C-alpha cells in the first residue's frame, strides 16, 4: 500500500504537533506549513524534524501563509496530499476583538483559499479536507450543544469560523469534495499556547510554587467550558477523514467545568487549598493555610461579549466513529501543572536572572516584575 501523505496548516501549534505525531505513528508522510518568522517558532515539532538529506524522512516543513493564495496553490500542487488538515488560525478569542480584520482574513478566507486550491487543481475527487471548527460558534446557545444546535457567534473569531464552517459545507455540496468540519470543544495540553487561560493558570501555579510569582490575575472565574486533552481530539480529527461519507462532528467530553474549578485543581496539585472571598472584581482566592492572596480578578480580562457556558454533546462521534475522550479533567490539569513545574525547575537561567529582573516592567500580568517565563508570550485571561 502506498504511503499516505498529509498536509497540515498550523503544524507548529498544539494540535498540529499532536496530529503530526499521530500520523507519523500511522505511517504517513507529513508535510507541515509554517509561517516565516525571524525568531524560532518550531519548538513543539523540533523532535520530529530530521535532515531532509537523509533517507526515509517522513516529516517535512514548508513556508506558507493562509493569507497567500498563490503560495497555497503551489504547496497543494507540490505536495499532492491525500488529506489536508486546516488547523492554522488566529485562534485566540480575546485577541480577535483587537485584530478582527486579520482574524477574518486568516480564519475565514484562509479556509476558502485552501478549498479553492483543491478545486482549481482538479483534486476534488482525491483529497480529503478537514476544517478545524470550534465550539465558540455556539456562543450562548442552550447547552448541551450538538451538530444541530443553532450557532450564535459572539466574537470576531467565532464569526470568522462561522464563515469557515459554512464554506466547507458549501464546497462539499457544490464540488463533491470530501470536506468535513470538526467542531472541537476546548482541548488543552502541556504544549497549549501560553496566552490561553489554562496555560496561564498552570504556569502561574508553577511559578508561585517556585517562589517566582506572587499572584495570578484572571477575568471571569465562572465561565464554564468543556475541557479535554488535545491528544484525544487529534485522534478524532483523523477518524473524521477516514469516514466514507464526509460529515460534521462535535468532539467534546460531555462535561463542563468553570475557570474557578480549574484554578482549584491546579493549586491542589502543589498542595494549596484555595478559599474564595468577596464577589465580582473584588473577589480573591486565598491560600487556606496561610491566608495569602494568590488569585485576584481584573476587569481588564473580561471579554466585550462573554460566552458563559459551553458543553458539547459528542453522541454522533461516539456512535458513528467510536470516538471517546480518554483523559479526565483532573488528569488533564495535573499533567499540565506537572509539565510547567518541570519546565520551570529546569530553567536555571531564569532563577539566576529573576532578582535582577524583578523591578523591570513585566510582560506577564500578576507579577511583581518580569515574568519568570520571560521571553515567552504574555498571557491573556480568556477561557479560549
Amino acid at each position: 500500500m502506498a504511503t499516505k501523505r498529509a498536509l497540515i496548516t498550523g503544524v507548529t501549534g498544539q494540535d498540529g504537533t499532536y496530529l503530526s505525531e499521530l500520523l507519523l505513528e500511522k505511517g504517513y508522510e507529513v508535510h507541515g506549513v509554517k509561517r516565516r518568522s525571524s525568531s524560532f517558532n518550531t519548538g513543539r515539532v523540533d523532535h520530529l524534524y530530521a535532515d531532509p538529506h537523509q533517507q526515509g524522512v517522513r516529516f517535512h516543513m514548508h513556508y506558507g501563509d493562509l493569507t497567500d493564495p498563490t503560495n497555497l496553490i503551489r504547496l497543494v500542487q507540490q505536495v499532492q496530499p491525500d488529506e489536508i488538515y486546516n488547523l492554522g488560525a488566529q485562534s485566540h478569542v480575546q485577541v480577535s476583538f483587537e485584530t478582527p480584520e486579520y482574524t477574518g482574513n486568516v480564519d475565514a478566507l484562509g479556509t476558502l483559499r485552501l478549498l479553492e486550491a483543491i478545486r482549481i487543481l482538479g483534486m476534488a475527487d482525491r483529497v480529503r479536507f478537514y476544517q478545524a471548527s470550534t465550539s465558540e460558534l455556539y456562543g450562548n446557545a442552550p447547552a448541551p450543544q450538538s451538530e444541530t444546535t443553532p450557532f450564535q457567534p459572539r466574537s470576531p473569531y467565532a464569526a470568522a469560523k462561522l464563515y469557515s464552517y459554512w464554506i466547507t459545507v458549501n464546497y462539499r455540496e457544490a464540488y463533491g469534495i470530501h470536506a468535513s468540519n470538526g467542531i472541537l470543544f476546548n482541548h488543552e495540553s502541556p504544549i497549549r499556547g501560553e496566552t490561553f487561560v489554562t496555560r496561564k493558570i498552570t504556569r502561574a501555579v508553577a511559578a508561585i510554587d517556585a517562589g517566582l510569582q506572587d499572584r495570578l490575575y484572571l477575568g471571569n472565574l465562572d465561565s464554564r467550558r468543556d475541557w479535554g486533552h488535545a491528544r484525544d481530539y487529534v485522534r478524532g480529527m483523523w477518524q473524521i477523514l477516514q469516514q466514507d461519507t464526509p460529515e460534521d462532528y462535535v468532539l467534546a467530553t460531555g462535561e463542563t467545568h468553570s475557570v474557578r474549578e480549574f484554578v482549584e485543581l491546579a493549586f491542589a496539585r502543589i498542595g494549596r487549598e484555595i478559599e474564595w472571598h468577596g464577589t465580582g472584581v473584588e473577589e480573591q482566592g486565598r491560600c487556606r493555610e496561610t491566608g495569602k492572596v494568590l488569585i485576584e480578578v481584573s476587569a481588564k480580562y473580561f471579554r466585550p461579549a462573554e460566552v458563559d457556558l459551553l458543553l458539547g454533546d459528542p453522541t454522533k462521534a461516539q456512535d458513528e466513529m467510536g470516538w471517546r475522550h480518554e483523559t479526565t479533567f483532573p488528569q488533564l490539569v495535573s499533567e499540565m501543572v506537572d509539565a510547567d513545574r518541570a519546565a520551570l525547575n529546569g530553567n536555571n537561567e531564569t532563577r539566576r536572572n529573576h532578582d535582577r529582573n524583578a523591578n523591570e516592567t513585566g510582560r506577564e500580568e500578576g507579577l511583581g516584575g518580569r515574568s519568570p517565563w520571560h521571553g515567552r508570550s504574555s498571557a491573556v485571561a480568556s477561557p479560549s
Side-chain angles (χ1 to χ4, degrees):
M1 178 182 290
T3 300
K4 277 190 174 182
R5 190 175 297 131
L7 179 66
I8 303 174
T9 68
V11 72
T12 60
Q14 167 190 258
D15 292 3
T17 300
Y18 281 114
L19 180 61
S20 295
E21 292 174 344
L22 176 71
L23 296 181
L24 289 170
E25 289 174 2
K26 292 183 176 297
Y28 278 65
E29 180 180 308
V30 176
H31 293 257
V33 182
K34 67 182 287 290
R35 288 175 297 169
R36 175 72 177 90
S37 173
S38 60
S39 59
F40 291 112
N41 60 356
T42 59
R44 293 186 183 95
V45 294
D46 280 347
H47 66 291
L48 301 177
Y49 183 80
D51 188 332
H53 299 95
Q54 298 177 8
Q55 294 294 319
V57 173
R58 291 190 293 113
F59 183 76
H60 307 270
M61 300 276 279
H62 307 268
Y63 287 120
D65 199 298
L66 287 169
T67 65
D68 185 347
T70 56
N71 166 263
L72 295 176
I73 292 173
R74 178 184 60 79
L75 282 176
V76 173
Q77 184 177 43
Q78 175 185 333
V79 173
Q80 292 289 306
D82 300 288
E83 299 171 1
I84 296 177
Y85 295 86
N86 184 30
L87 311 184
Q90 190 300 100
S91 58
H92 201 285
V93 176
Q94 183 80 13
V95 172
S96 77
F97 284 100
E98 301 173 19
T99 60
E101 183 176 347
Y102 173 76
T103 300
N105 193 12
V106 174
D107 297 10
L109 295 181
T111 303
L112 173 63
R113 292 175 184 122
L114 274 173
L115 290 166
E116 270 292 272
I118 295 171
R119 185 188 68 82
I120 290 169
L121 294 170
M123 300 173 68
D125 59 344
R126 53 194 173 94
V127 175
R128 297 191 172 193
F129 180 82
Y130 172 85
Q131 172 56 33
S133 199
T134 171
S135 59
E136 289 289 329
L137 291 174
Y138 295 115
N140 283 331
Q145 294 111 3
S146 70
E147 293 82 2
T148 59
T149 302
F151 298 135
Q152 297 180 20
R154 287 176 60 82
S155 67
Y157 167 73
K161 283 290 192 174
L162 182 66
Y163 175 89
S164 188
Y165 174 93
W166 283 116
I167 201 65
T168 299
V169 172
N170 179 251
Y171 270 61
R172 177 172 73 212
E173 295 174 349
Y175 302 113
I177 300 175
H178 191 297
S180 300
N181 287 286
I183 308 173
L184 272 58
F185 280 66
N186 295 65
H187 45 289
E188 319 297 315
S189 76
I191 58 172
R192 179 64 144 153
E194 294 94 336
T195 60
F196 293 89
V197 70
T198 51
R199 276 301 302 286
K200 175 180 180 176
I201 293 168
T202 60
R203 292 169 75 221
V205 168
I208 289 171
D209 185 50
L212 298 176
Q213 182 168 336
D214 292 327
R215 64 189 61 177
L216 166 67
Y217 288 87
L218 294 169
N220 187 353
L221 293 169
D222 296 316
S223 288
R224 302 185 67 85
R225 294 293 182 269
D226 186 327
W227 275 304
H229 198 300
R231 184 173 49 227
D232 297 336
Y233 286 60
V234 299
R235 174 168 42 85
M237 296 178 189
W238 176 78
Q239 287 181 255
I240 287 173
L241 287 199
Q242 308 318 303
Q243 303 306 299
D244 292 335
T245 303
E247 293 190 34
D248 308 313
Y249 293 89
V250 164
L251 299 185
T253 69
E255 59 184 69
T256 186
H257 301 275
S258 67
V259 174
R260 187 188 307 275
E261 290 176 76
F262 198 106
V263 169
E264 292 169 351
L265 276 178
F267 275 99
R269 190 64 177 173
I270 62 168
R272 302 204 187 189
E273 184 178 353
I274 300 299
E275 286 187 333
W276 301 98
H277 299 266
T279 59
V281 294
E282 303 300 322
E283 187 168 12
Q284 295 178 332
R286 301 176 186 172
C287 175
R288 181 184 182 88
E289 181 179 355
T290 66
K292 182 179 180 180
V293 176
L294 298 178
I295 304 104
E296 289 193 26
V297 173
S298 172
K300 174 181 178 182
Y301 303 118
F302 292 156
R303 291 182 184 175
E306 185 59 77
V307 174
D308 299 315
L309 169 64
L310 291 174
L311 171 61
D313 177 3
T315 300
K316 180 180 177 181
Q318 293 172 349
D319 291 348
E320 296 187 9
M321 303 192 304
W323 179 88
R324 281 171 173 77
H325 78 285
E326 297 177 354
T327 308
T328 67
F329 180 65
Q331 288 171 340
L332 170 65
V333 177
S334 295
E335 182 180 337
M336 293 177 68
V337 171
D338 291 350
D340 278 328
R341 291 178 75 191
L344 191 55
N345 289 336
N347 192 345
N348 293 324
E349 186 63 26
T350 293
R351 290 178 175 275
R352 286 194 294 269
N353 291 337
H354 178 68
D355 289 340
R356 184 173 72 244
N357 294 331
N359 293 323
E360 297 184 25
T361 301
R363 292 178 61 196
E364 190 87 9
E365 70 286 340
L367 302 174
R370 184 170 295 189
S371 168
W373 304 85
H374 174 59
R376 302 188 183 187
S377 302
S378 61
V380 180
S382 174
S384 302

